[in-house]
Amino acid sequence: KMSERTTTSEERSAFIFLNTLRESGITNMFGATPYLIEELGLSKNVAREMLKLWMANFNEEGNYNTIKM
C-alpha cells in the first residue's frame, strides 16, 4: 500500500525543474541525473532519488504538494 506525504521545498524545486527539463526536450528523462547535480547542486545519490520520486509522481501541471511513496 502506498502512503502519501507532503513534499519538501527541495523536492518541489527539483520536480518543477524536472518538468521544465522534460518540456525542453534537451534529454531523455532517464538521463536527467547530471542536470539535477549541475542545476541544484545535489549529490549523485540524492539526484537519483529525486528523479525516481519525480518519475513515480509525475504531474504535467506541476502539482507536487504531496507525493506517493
Side-chain angles (χ1 to χ4, degrees):
K1 181 181 170 187
M2 286 198 157
S3 62
E4 243 182 51
R5 69 165 171 79
T6 304
T7 51
T8 66
S9 60
E10 183 181 46
E11 288 167 339
R12 278 192 296 278
S13 294
F15 296 166
I16 291 166
F17 170 75
L18 287 166
N19 275 28
T20 303
L21 183 64
R22 178 183 172 270
E23 289 168 17
S24 76
I26 290 171
T27 185
N28 175 304
M29 294 313 290
F30 288 101
T33 300
Y35 293 89
L36 284 169
I37 293 166
E38 175 72 25
E39 184 70 22
L40 302 176
L42 303 176
S43 71
K44 190 182 227 180
N45 288 340
V46 170
R48 284 182 179 159
E49 288 305 310
M50 287 285 191
L51 183 57
K52 283 185 354 189
L53 273 177
W54 176 79
M55 286 180 170
N57 289 278
F58 174 70
N59 180 314
E60 278 197 43
E61 292 78 42
N63 179 10
Y64 295 110
N65 294 322
T66 61
I67 55 173
K68 291 178 176 64
M69 299 292 296

